[in-house]
Amino acid sequence: MKKYHFPEGFLWGGATAANQIEGGFHEGNKGLNIADVLPGGKERLTILQSPGFDFQIDREKYDYPNHEAIDFYHRYKEDIALFAEMGFKVFRMSIAWTRIFPNGDELEPNEEGLAFYDRVFDELHKHGIEPVVTISHYEMPLNLVKEYGGWRNREVITFFERYVTAIFNRYKNKVKYWMTFNEINSGFIMPIQGLGFAIQQEEDKYKPTFQAFHHQFVASSIAVKACHDIIPGAQIGCMILYAPVYSYDSNPKNVMYALQEERMFNYFCADVQVRGEYPAFIQRYFKEHNIELNIQDGDLESIKEGTVDYIGLSYYMTRTEKKEKSDLEASEGNLIGGIKNPFLQASDWGWEIDPEGLRIGLNQLYDRYQIPLFVVENGLGAYDKVEKDGSIHDDYRIDYLRNHIKAIGEANEDGAEVIGYTSWGCIDLVSASSGEFSKRYGFIYVDKHDDGSGTLERKRKESFFWYKGVIETNGENL
Ligand code: BG6
């Protein structure tokens, strides 16, 4: 088998988000956030993609798996020790905004929340693991959603600035790698998680969406500048959900359509955050949809000055597009739609598996931006079975990860500068789109089930030992 030579210092590790692992949703003065009001089970995706969600907790009807999650809040020491056993160089996690500012609009941060992340960062450093921190990962304070209308309200920029200033000052000696908004472009498909508001049926979906993006771009640029000022030498990236778009065939109409979808979904946000300006193609789109953004004095200058140092990306699937697709089978379950690609298999949740697409995507991104790329999410959500002797043989996951890591190796040889890989859900966690525990991604199994039962005991899966070997050999032993 071909050996890959990853660069010295390649950032191997795993990725999570606060709301999907921590639990302790009321502890340490934490306030409620969006994830706390999202029910578990397959209904969650419908809620996320439909208009009119009311952001209320209804315990009669639903369970709320993020409330306890996998209890990382109390078990972080045990979990970090397991990451260290695999040899993680980095651990991607997020800070829950509501632990630091429970309602989002306070003037002073919550000391208990700040102290919690101090303990987590110290524990990581004790094991020689560098934290990679997402500032906002689908965890907007609920108060900002309900009282301010989420990111469509410009005032939220001020609250975000207060939040980032507090965490940069507090953790300036502990965190070198940062990212602003998780999968910022997911606001197009799941505005509740990404932008903090539900599109109302009667309202024009375009204007509020782009206005909210504009506020996030300004907020991101402020965060980048503050990070560089407060923590010299720190690296701060954007984070996009990257699902390269293929044209269904060589019909130029379909090729053009695929290009338009590619630019809008995959590149629009990155263009602004990396290049510091709105791309030319969006002007035509705004004109045709009568969108006039409210851009205030200084916004565009701020965006220009606050460009990111690297691109963080999640990669799970590609998407195949055709202009008129009514006669073709839709790609079942592919989160971002498109039509079924006959060359690809799909996961149990219908996400099409395409390692070659990762190589293609990394090349495309590097050709376009020429700044370092960091694959901060990739993995296989699958049902795992615990054998009688307690072992878990997840060879399907090993195959998936091996093929994707090879694709990164190829992309590096092609000339793309990929600085790291953090596999998603390195420990089993609550699924973001389905709220299930049974959609497992981890190297570490957590005994927790969709009905809320389980001891929360951790177990090493077969992939745990495999990944340890990958890191030990810097990607040579795949
Ligand atoms: C990304 C998110 O979309 O994909 C994560 O950043 C999420 O939060 C991951 O968990 C996998 O998606 P899911 O729906 O399987 O949890």
Side-chain angles (χ1 to χ4, degrees):
M1 191 168 60
K2 177 175 171 185
K3 296 257 185 232
Y4 291 90
H5 303 286
F6 285 83
E8 190 78 10
F10 192 76
L11 302 170
W12 297 101
T16 59
N19 71 87
Q20 292 171 264
I21 58 169
E22 283 179 6
F25 84 115
H26 262 334
E27 291 181 61
N29 291 329
K30 178 183 159 294
L32 286 179
N33 61 31
I34 291 177
D36 292 325
V37 297
L38 291 176
K42 296 209 161 138
E43 260 177 85
R44 182 188 289 215
L45 189 58
T46 317
I47 289 174
L48 287 174
Q49 295 182 327
S50 318
F53 180 53
D54 61 3
F55 298 97
Q56 299 297 334
I57 292 184
D58 180 350
R59 288 190 192 281
E60 307 263 291
K61 232 165 132 188
Y62 300 117
D63 292 325
Y64 293 89
N66 301 67
H67 289 188
E68 191 190 23
I70 58 158
D71 196 30
F72 179 83
Y73 189 70
H74 297 107
R75 293 164 196 252
Y76 63 92
K77 287 191 181 172
E78 181 190 346
D79 294 341
I80 291 170
L82 287 165
F83 302 152
E85 197 181 318
M86 278 186 277
F88 279 20
K89 311 286 181 208
V90 292
F91 173 54
R92 177 180 173 224
M93 52 180 277
S94 65
I95 292 180
W97 187 346
T98 47
R99 287 204 187 282
I100 312 301
F101 288 95
N103 289 315
D105 57 359
E106 295 90 341
L107 291 175
E108 295 301 325
N110 168 36
E111 177 55 34
E112 275 197 72
L114 287 167
F116 168 67
Y117 292 108
D118 266 326
R119 294 196 292 277
V120 173
F121 297 143
D122 290 346
E123 193 66 20
L124 286 166
H125 285 300
K126 193 173 109 192
H127 289 279
I129 301 174
E130 209 51 70
V132 175
V133 174
T134 319
I135 295 169
S136 179
H137 191 131
Y138 299 158
E139 287 146 348
M140 188 177 211
L142 198 61
N143 177 53
L144 299 187
V145 172
K146 289 184 162 175
E147 299 302 320
Y148 295 85
W151 278 102
R152 75 177 121 191
N153 186 333
R154 192 178 172 94
E155 232 185 313
V156 171
I157 300 176
T158 310
F159 304 138
F160 186 77
E161 183 172 3
R162 208 174 286 155
Y163 164 51
V164 298
T165 310
I167 57 177
F168 291 153
N169 277 316
R170 178 73 169 223
Y171 306 124
K172 62 182 170 214
N173 298 320
K174 300 187 181 182
V175 182
K176 290 200 292 227
Y177 297 100
W178 298 88
M179 269 174 286
T180 51
F181 295 100
N182 180 64
E183 296 188 329
I184 183 165
N185 52 328
S186 70
F188 281 120
I189 49 170
M190 290 185 290
I192 290 177
Q193 285 177 325
L195 303 173
F197 62 88
I199 301 287
Q200 302 302 319
Q201 227 133 20
E202 71 281 3
E203 96 182 313
D204 169 15
K205 116 174 197 201
Y206 299 102
K207 170 102 204 269
T209 300
F210 283 100
Q211 189 63 52
F213 275 135
H214 178 70
H215 294 150
Q216 289 192 325
F217 296 148
V218 175
S220 163
S221 68
I222 290 172
V224 170
K225 290 188 284 178
C227 182
H228 290 155
D229 285 349
I230 299 170
I231 324 180
Q235 298 280 305
I236 179 161
C238 59
M239 196 310 202
I240 56 165
L241 188 177
Y242 193 36
V245 184
Y246 300 147
S247 171
Y248 170 73
D249 59 17
S250 54
N251 180 339
K253 284 195 171 42
N254 291 333
V255 176
M256 189 62 218
Y257 182 69
L259 175 64
Q260 281 167 333
E261 289 295 302
E262 178 94 82
R263 290 201 297 197
M264 183 61 88
F265 188 76
N266 288 323
Y267 296 146
F268 165 62
C269 295
D271 278 359
V272 181
Q273 292 181 288
V274 177
R275 294 168 164 169
E277 51 195 45
Y278 278 87
F281 68 81
I282 204 71
Q283 305 304 344
R284 175 172 183 180
Y285 185 90
F286 284 171
K287 212 159 135 203
E288 288 177 357
H289 292 81
N290 291 322
I291 297 169
E292 245 178 78
L293 293 187
N294 181 357
I295 296 180
Q296 297 200 359
D297 283 354
D299 284 2
L300 297 179
E301 290 73 12
S302 182
I303 288 173
K304 190 79 203 165
E305 290 158 8
T307 55
V308 293
D309 302 313
Y310 66 91
I311 298 174
L313 60 128
S314 66
Y315 176 82
Y316 294 93
M317 65 194 87
T318 45
R319 160 179 161 201
T320 303
E321 278 297 356
K322 184 170 191 267
K323 198 158 186 222
E324 310 289 339
K325 46 184 167 282
S326 51
D327 56 333
L328 283 153
E329 202 190 338
S331 167
E332 234 179 275
N334 231 17
L335 198 62
I336 27 99
I339 60 171
K340 200 169 174 140
N341 184 330
F343 299 99
L344 302 177
Q345 305 286 321
S347 77
D348 290 337
W349 277 259
W351 293 18
E352 287 178 346
I353 300 172
D354 184 6
E356 193 69 18
L358 178 55
R359 177 180 176 187
I360 294 167
L362 291 170
N363 274 291
Q364 288 182 165
L365 278 181
Y366 199 70
D367 284 351
R368 192 173 182 98
Y369 300 114
Q370 276 137 22
I371 65 169
L373 307 174
F374 192 169
V375 182
V376 293
E377 271 191 46
N378 167 244
L380 179 70
Y383 296 107
D384 290 333
K385 180 167 172 247
V386 183
E387 304 295 338
K388 283 209 178 83
D389 65 359
S391 58
I392 299 140
H393 301 291
D394 56 341
D395 46 332
Y396 37 88
R397 181 169 294 110
I398 296 174
D399 278 350
Y400 177 102
L401 295 172
R402 177 189 293 125
N403 291 333
H404 285 80
I405 293 172
K406 279 185 186 173
I408 297 173
E410 292 293 339
N412 263 337
E413 288 179 27
D414 294 333
E417 188 188 349
V418 186
I419 58 169
Y421 178 77
T422 56
S423 158
W424 176 251
C426 47
I427 180 164
D428 290 349
L429 39 64
V430 183
S431 152
S433 64
S434 75
E436 292 163 302
F437 287 102
S438 51
K439 189 178 188 189
R440 297 176 182 275
Y441 285 88
F443 303 113
I444 301 162
Y445 181 91
V446 178
D447 184 42
K448 182 83 200 246
H449 308 282
D450 292 342
D451 62 2
S453 67
T455 60
L456 292 166
E457 188 199 344
R458 278 59 170 154
K459 290 182 200 298
R460 296 163 184 81
K461 302 183 195 175
E462 197 173 314
S463 56
F464 180 101
F465 303 100
W466 169 81
Y467 197 47
K468 183 176 190 305
V470 173
I471 299 177
E472 238 160 40
T473 59
N474 197 25
E476 281 205 11
N477 274 5
L478 285 174

PDB file of all heavy atoms in Angstrom, residues 188 210 263-264 268 271-272 277-289 291 293:
ATOM      1  N   PHE A 188     -27.703  28.846   5.150  1.00  0.00           N
ATOM      2  CA  PHE A 188     -28.574  28.729   3.975  1.00  0.00           C
ATOM      3  C   PHE A 188     -29.596  27.600   4.144  1.00  0.00           C
ATOM      4  O   PHE A 188     -30.701  27.692   3.653  1.00  0.00           O
ATOM      5  CB  PHE A 188     -27.747  28.401   2.725  1.00  0.00           C
ATOM      6  CG  PHE A 188     -27.033  29.570   2.121  1.00  0.00           C
ATOM      7  CD1 PHE A 188     -25.649  29.576   2.005  1.00  0.00           C
ATOM      8  CD2 PHE A 188     -27.744  30.663   1.626  1.00  0.00           C
ATOM      9  CE1 PHE A 188     -24.981  30.640   1.413  1.00  0.00           C
ATOM     10  CE2 PHE A 188     -27.084  31.737   1.029  1.00  0.00           C
ATOM     11  CZ  PHE A 188     -25.702  31.729   0.935  1.00  0.00           C
ATOM     12  N   PHE A 210     -29.346  37.051   4.122  1.00  0.00           N
ATOM     13  CA  PHE A 210     -28.111  37.748   3.734  1.00  0.00           C
ATOM     14  C   PHE A 210     -27.763  38.865   4.718  1.00  0.00           C
ATOM     15  O   PHE A 210     -26.587  39.145   4.954  1.00  0.00           O
ATOM     16  CB  PHE A 210     -28.213  38.256   2.295  1.00  0.00           C
ATOM     17  CG  PHE A 210     -28.017  37.142   1.294  1.00  0.00           C
ATOM     18  CD1 PHE A 210     -29.103  36.544   0.674  1.00  0.00           C
ATOM     19  CD2 PHE A 210     -26.748  36.667   1.021  1.00  0.00           C
ATOM     20  CE1 PHE A 210     -28.927  35.500  -0.223  1.00  0.00           C
ATOM     21  CE2 PHE A 210     -26.549  35.620   0.123  1.00  0.00           C
ATOM     22  CZ  PHE A 210     -27.646  35.031  -0.500  1.00  0.00           C
ATOM     23  N   ARG A 263     -20.664  28.184  -6.122  1.00  0.00           N
ATOM     24  CA  ARG A 263     -20.228  29.512  -5.679  1.00  0.00           C
ATOM     25  C   ARG A 263     -21.078  30.021  -4.525  1.00  0.00           C
ATOM     26  O   ARG A 263     -20.571  30.572  -3.557  1.00  0.00           O
ATOM     27  CB  ARG A 263     -20.269  30.501  -6.845  1.00  0.00           C
ATOM     28  CG  ARG A 263     -19.191  30.195  -7.872  1.00  0.00           C
ATOM     29  CD  ARG A 263     -18.878  31.382  -8.720  1.00  0.00           C
ATOM     30  NE  ARG A 263     -20.027  31.819  -9.508  1.00  0.00           N
ATOM     31  CZ  ARG A 263     -19.944  32.624 -10.557  1.00  0.00           C
ATOM     32  NH1 ARG A 263     -18.770  33.066 -10.950  1.00  0.00           N
ATOM     33  NH2 ARG A 263     -21.012  32.991 -11.213  1.00  0.00           N
ATOM     34  N   MET A 264     -22.387  29.821  -4.648  1.00  0.00           N
ATOM     35  CA  MET A 264     -23.255  30.365  -3.612  1.00  0.00           C
ATOM     36  C   MET A 264     -23.085  29.603  -2.303  1.00  0.00           C
ATOM     37  O   MET A 264     -22.854  30.186  -1.256  1.00  0.00           O
ATOM     38  CB  MET A 264     -24.715  30.305  -4.073  1.00  0.00           C
ATOM     39  CG  MET A 264     -25.670  30.915  -3.086  1.00  0.00           C
ATOM     40  SD  MET A 264     -25.311  32.656  -2.810  1.00  0.00           S
ATOM     41  CE  MET A 264     -26.279  33.362  -4.119  1.00  0.00           C
ATOM     42  N   PHE A 268     -19.388  31.542  -1.206  1.00  0.00           N
ATOM     43  CA  PHE A 268     -19.806  32.906  -0.874  1.00  0.00           C
ATOM     44  C   PHE A 268     -19.224  33.378   0.475  1.00  0.00           C
ATOM     45  O   PHE A 268     -18.550  34.408   0.556  1.00  0.00           O
ATOM     46  CB  PHE A 268     -21.345  32.997  -0.892  1.00  0.00           C
ATOM     47  CG  PHE A 268     -21.879  34.230  -0.232  1.00  0.00           C
ATOM     48  CD1 PHE A 268     -21.570  35.486  -0.738  1.00  0.00           C
ATOM     49  CD2 PHE A 268     -22.685  34.148   0.898  1.00  0.00           C
ATOM     50  CE1 PHE A 268     -22.047  36.643  -0.117  1.00  0.00           C
ATOM     51  CE2 PHE A 268     -23.164  35.289   1.514  1.00  0.00           C
ATOM     52  CZ  PHE A 268     -22.851  36.530   1.011  1.00  0.00           C
ATOM     53  N   ASP A 271     -15.395  33.476   0.495  1.00  0.00           N
ATOM     54  CA  ASP A 271     -14.883  34.609  -0.290  1.00  0.00           C
ATOM     55  C   ASP A 271     -14.812  35.863   0.586  1.00  0.00           C
ATOM     56  O   ASP A 271     -13.825  36.596   0.581  1.00  0.00           O
ATOM     57  CB  ASP A 271     -15.802  34.902  -1.492  1.00  0.00           C
ATOM     58  CG  ASP A 271     -15.521  33.969  -2.671  1.00  0.00           C
ATOM     59  OD1 ASP A 271     -14.610  33.125  -2.563  1.00  0.00           O
ATOM     60  OD2 ASP A 271     -16.217  34.103  -3.707  1.00  0.00           O
ATOM     61  N   VAL A 272     -15.885  36.112   1.338  1.00  0.00           N
ATOM     62  CA  VAL A 272     -15.913  37.323   2.164  1.00  0.00           C
ATOM     63  C   VAL A 272     -14.906  37.210   3.304  1.00  0.00           C
ATOM     64  O   VAL A 272     -14.146  38.152   3.581  1.00  0.00           O
ATOM     65  CB  VAL A 272     -17.337  37.568   2.726  1.00  0.00           C
ATOM     66  CG1 VAL A 272     -17.361  38.847   3.558  1.00  0.00           C
ATOM     67  CG2 VAL A 272     -18.371  37.645   1.608  1.00  0.00           C
ATOM     68  N   GLU A 277     -13.855  40.694   0.887  1.00  0.00           N
ATOM     69  CA  GLU A 277     -14.853  41.472   0.145  1.00  0.00           C
ATOM     70  C   GLU A 277     -15.939  40.587  -0.445  1.00  0.00           C
ATOM     71  O   GLU A 277     -15.728  39.383  -0.645  1.00  0.00           O
ATOM     72  CB  GLU A 277     -14.211  42.322  -0.943  1.00  0.00           C
ATOM     73  CG  GLU A 277     -13.289  41.573  -1.849  1.00  0.00           C
ATOM     74  CD  GLU A 277     -12.412  42.528  -2.676  1.00  0.00           C
ATOM     75  OE1 GLU A 277     -11.871  43.491  -2.095  1.00  0.00           O
ATOM     76  OE2 GLU A 277     -12.286  42.277  -3.889  1.00  0.00           O
ATOM     77  N   TYR A 278     -17.081  41.210  -0.707  1.00  0.00           N
ATOM     78  CA  TYR A 278     -18.177  40.470  -1.344  1.00  0.00           C
ATOM     79  C   TYR A 278     -17.761  40.126  -2.768  1.00  0.00           C
ATOM     80  O   TYR A 278     -17.250  40.979  -3.490  1.00  0.00           O
ATOM     81  CB  TYR A 278     -19.451  41.328  -1.357  1.00  0.00           C
ATOM     82  CG  TYR A 278     -20.211  41.273  -0.051  1.00  0.00           C
ATOM     83  CD1 TYR A 278     -19.916  42.134   0.997  1.00  0.00           C
ATOM     84  CD2 TYR A 278     -21.219  40.334   0.143  1.00  0.00           C
ATOM     85  CE1 TYR A 278     -20.603  42.063   2.204  1.00  0.00           C
ATOM     86  CE2 TYR A 278     -21.912  40.257   1.339  1.00  0.00           C
ATOM     87  CZ  TYR A 278     -21.606  41.124   2.371  1.00  0.00           C
ATOM     88  OH  TYR A 278     -22.289  41.038   3.561  1.00  0.00           O
ATOM     89  N   PRO A 279     -17.967  38.865  -3.182  1.00  0.00           N
ATOM     90  CA  PRO A 279     -17.550  38.475  -4.541  1.00  0.00           C
ATOM     91  C   PRO A 279     -18.437  39.109  -5.609  1.00  0.00           C
ATOM     92  O   PRO A 279     -19.586  39.469  -5.340  1.00  0.00           O
ATOM     93  CB  PRO A 279     -17.731  36.957  -4.527  1.00  0.00           C
ATOM     94  CG  PRO A 279     -18.753  36.689  -3.483  1.00  0.00           C
ATOM     95  CD  PRO A 279     -18.582  37.759  -2.435  1.00  0.00           C
ATOM     96  N   ALA A 280     -17.906  39.203  -6.812  1.00  0.00           N
ATOM     97  CA  ALA A 280     -18.641  39.848  -7.906  1.00  0.00           C
ATOM     98  C   ALA A 280     -19.952  39.118  -8.206  1.00  0.00           C
ATOM     99  O   ALA A 280     -20.976  39.752  -8.451  1.00  0.00           O
ATOM    100  CB  ALA A 280     -17.758  39.885  -9.148  1.00  0.00           C
ATOM    101  N   PHE A 281     -19.949  37.788  -8.149  1.00  0.00           N
ATOM    102  CA  PHE A 281     -21.148  37.063  -8.589  1.00  0.00           C
ATOM    103  C   PHE A 281     -22.371  37.374  -7.728  1.00  0.00           C
ATOM    104  O   PHE A 281     -23.510  37.256  -8.169  1.00  0.00           O
ATOM    105  CB  PHE A 281     -20.899  35.550  -8.649  1.00  0.00           C
ATOM    106  CG  PHE A 281     -20.695  34.871  -7.309  1.00  0.00           C
ATOM    107  CD1 PHE A 281     -21.776  34.528  -6.512  1.00  0.00           C
ATOM    108  CD2 PHE A 281     -19.423  34.552  -6.859  1.00  0.00           C
ATOM    109  CE1 PHE A 281     -21.605  33.889  -5.290  1.00  0.00           C
ATOM    110  CE2 PHE A 281     -19.227  33.923  -5.634  1.00  0.00           C
ATOM    111  CZ  PHE A 281     -20.322  33.593  -4.850  1.00  0.00           C
ATOM    112  N   ILE A 282     -22.125  37.806  -6.478  1.00  0.00           N
ATOM    113  CA  ILE A 282     -23.271  38.012  -5.591  1.00  0.00           C
ATOM    114  C   ILE A 282     -24.035  39.289  -5.957  1.00  0.00           C
ATOM    115  O   ILE A 282     -25.232  39.412  -5.667  1.00  0.00           O
ATOM    116  CB  ILE A 282     -22.823  38.030  -4.102  1.00  0.00           C
ATOM    117  CG1 ILE A 282     -23.978  37.658  -3.177  1.00  0.00           C
ATOM    118  CG2 ILE A 282     -22.250  39.357  -3.694  1.00  0.00           C
ATOM    119  CD1 ILE A 282     -24.381  36.228  -3.235  1.00  0.00           C
ATOM    120  N   GLN A 283     -23.363  40.208  -6.632  1.00  0.00           N
ATOM    121  CA  GLN A 283     -24.031  41.472  -6.978  1.00  0.00           C
ATOM    122  C   GLN A 283     -25.202  41.207  -7.914  1.00  0.00           C
ATOM    123  O   GLN A 283     -26.275  41.770  -7.757  1.00  0.00           O
ATOM    124  CB  GLN A 283     -23.051  42.469  -7.628  1.00  0.00           C
ATOM    125  CG  GLN A 283     -21.804  42.766  -6.808  1.00  0.00           C
ATOM    126  CD  GLN A 283     -22.102  43.265  -5.397  1.00  0.00           C
ATOM    127  OE1 GLN A 283     -23.219  43.687  -5.091  1.00  0.00           O
ATOM    128  NE2 GLN A 283     -21.098  43.187  -4.520  1.00  0.00           N
ATOM    129  N   ARG A 284     -24.983  40.354  -8.887  1.00  0.00           N
ATOM    130  CA  ARG A 284     -26.072  40.030  -9.811  1.00  0.00           C
ATOM    131  C   ARG A 284     -27.220  39.359  -9.070  1.00  0.00           C
ATOM    132  O   ARG A 284     -28.404  39.649  -9.288  1.00  0.00           O
ATOM    133  CB  ARG A 284     -25.556  39.105 -10.922  1.00  0.00           C
ATOM    134  CG  ARG A 284     -26.683  38.659 -11.823  1.00  0.00           C
ATOM    135  CD  ARG A 284     -26.226  37.906 -13.037  1.00  0.00           C
ATOM    136  NE  ARG A 284     -27.395  37.597 -13.850  1.00  0.00           N
ATOM    137  CZ  ARG A 284     -27.370  36.947 -14.983  1.00  0.00           C
ATOM    138  NH1 ARG A 284     -26.219  36.548 -15.491  1.00  0.00           N
ATOM    139  NH2 ARG A 284     -28.482  36.711 -15.638  1.00  0.00           N
ATOM    140  N   TYR A 285     -26.866  38.459  -8.170  1.00  0.00           N
ATOM    141  CA  TYR A 285     -27.886  37.742  -7.401  1.00  0.00           C
ATOM    142  C   TYR A 285     -28.702  38.726  -6.550  1.00  0.00           C
ATOM    143  O   TYR A 285     -29.939  38.675  -6.529  1.00  0.00           O
ATOM    144  CB  TYR A 285     -27.202  36.700  -6.507  1.00  0.00           C
ATOM    145  CG  TYR A 285     -28.186  35.829  -5.771  1.00  0.00           C
ATOM    146  CD1 TYR A 285     -28.644  34.643  -6.332  1.00  0.00           C
ATOM    147  CD2 TYR A 285     -28.662  36.205  -4.523  1.00  0.00           C
ATOM    148  CE1 TYR A 285     -29.560  33.845  -5.664  1.00  0.00           C
ATOM    149  CE2 TYR A 285     -29.579  35.412  -3.845  1.00  0.00           C
ATOM    150  CZ  TYR A 285     -30.019  34.236  -4.419  1.00  0.00           C
ATOM    151  OH  TYR A 285     -30.932  33.453  -3.756  1.00  0.00           O
ATOM    152  N   PHE A 286     -28.027  39.635  -5.897  1.00  0.00           N
ATOM    153  CA  PHE A 286     -28.728  40.623  -5.065  1.00  0.00           C
ATOM    154  C   PHE A 286     -29.685  41.455  -5.918  1.00  0.00           C
ATOM    155  O   PHE A 286     -30.820  41.717  -5.535  1.00  0.00           O
ATOM    156  CB  PHE A 286     -27.728  41.558  -4.370  1.00  0.00           C
ATOM    157  CG  PHE A 286     -27.017  40.934  -3.186  1.00  0.00           C
ATOM    158  CD1 PHE A 286     -25.942  41.582  -2.573  1.00  0.00           C
ATOM    159  CD2 PHE A 286     -27.418  39.707  -2.666  1.00  0.00           C
ATOM    160  CE1 PHE A 286     -25.297  41.011  -1.471  1.00  0.00           C
ATOM    161  CE2 PHE A 286     -26.768  39.130  -1.562  1.00  0.00           C
ATOM    162  CZ  PHE A 286     -25.701  39.793  -0.976  1.00  0.00           C
ATOM    163  N   LYS A 287     -29.187  41.837  -7.095  1.00  0.00           N
ATOM    164  CA  LYS A 287     -30.000  42.681  -7.970  1.00  0.00           C
ATOM    165  C   LYS A 287     -31.262  41.927  -8.414  1.00  0.00           C
ATOM    166  O   LYS A 287     -32.377  42.440  -8.321  1.00  0.00           O
ATOM    167  CB  LYS A 287     -29.173  43.040  -9.212  1.00  0.00           C
ATOM    168  CG  LYS A 287     -29.509  44.397  -9.765  1.00  0.00           C
ATOM    169  CD  LYS A 287     -28.373  44.885 -10.619  1.00  0.00           C
ATOM    170  CE  LYS A 287     -28.968  45.455 -11.893  1.00  0.00           C
ATOM    171  NZ  LYS A 287     -28.013  45.469 -12.969  1.00  0.00           N
ATOM    172  N   GLU A 288     -31.067  40.688  -8.817  1.00  0.00           N
ATOM    173  CA  GLU A 288     -32.202  39.913  -9.318  1.00  0.00           C
ATOM    174  C   GLU A 288     -33.212  39.538  -8.237  1.00  0.00           C
ATOM    175  O   GLU A 288     -34.351  39.231  -8.527  1.00  0.00           O
ATOM    176  CB  GLU A 288     -31.696  38.648 -10.030  1.00  0.00           C
ATOM    177  CG  GLU A 288     -31.058  39.001 -11.354  1.00  0.00           C
ATOM    178  CD  GLU A 288     -30.468  37.809 -12.099  1.00  0.00           C
ATOM    179  OE1 GLU A 288     -30.481  36.672 -11.579  1.00  0.00           O
ATOM    180  OE2 GLU A 288     -29.962  38.030 -13.212  1.00  0.00           O
ATOM    181  N   HIS A 289     -32.754  39.540  -6.997  1.00  0.00           N
ATOM    182  CA  HIS A 289     -33.677  39.202  -5.900  1.00  0.00           C
ATOM    183  C   HIS A 289     -34.046  40.431  -5.066  1.00  0.00           C
ATOM    184  O   HIS A 289     -34.558  40.279  -3.947  1.00  0.00           O
ATOM    185  CB  HIS A 289     -33.069  38.112  -5.010  1.00  0.00           C
ATOM    186  CG  HIS A 289     -32.947  36.789  -5.695  1.00  0.00           C
ATOM    187  ND1 HIS A 289     -31.903  36.484  -6.552  1.00  0.00           N
ATOM    188  CD2 HIS A 289     -33.747  35.700  -5.696  1.00  0.00           C
ATOM    189  CE1 HIS A 289     -32.066  35.256  -7.020  1.00  0.00           C
ATOM    190  NE2 HIS A 289     -33.184  34.763  -6.523  1.00  0.00           N
ATOM    191  N   ILE A 291     -32.349  42.499  -3.341  1.00  0.00           N
ATOM    192  CA  ILE A 291     -31.768  42.516  -1.995  1.00  0.00           C
ATOM    193  C   ILE A 291     -30.855  43.728  -1.860  1.00  0.00           C
ATOM    194  O   ILE A 291     -29.902  43.879  -2.622  1.00  0.00           O
ATOM    195  CB  ILE A 291     -30.939  41.238  -1.732  1.00  0.00           C
ATOM    196  CG1 ILE A 291     -31.862  40.018  -1.780  1.00  0.00           C
ATOM    197  CG2 ILE A 291     -30.210  41.317  -0.400  1.00  0.00           C
ATOM    198  CD1 ILE A 291     -31.133  38.703  -1.788  1.00  0.00           C
ATOM    199  N   LEU A 293     -28.634  45.251   1.037  1.00  0.00           N
ATOM    200  CA  LEU A 293     -28.211  45.027   2.420  1.00  0.00           C
ATOM    201  C   LEU A 293     -28.048  46.355   3.141  1.00  0.00           C
ATOM    202  O   LEU A 293     -27.667  47.364   2.538  1.00  0.00           O
ATOM    203  CB  LEU A 293     -26.863  44.314   2.442  1.00  0.00           C
ATOM    204  CG  LEU A 293     -26.824  42.885   1.916  1.00  0.00           C
ATOM    205  CD1 LEU A 293     -25.444  42.291   2.170  1.00  0.00           C
ATOM    206  CD2 LEU A 293     -27.887  42.036   2.605  1.00  0.00           C
TER     207      LEU A 293
END
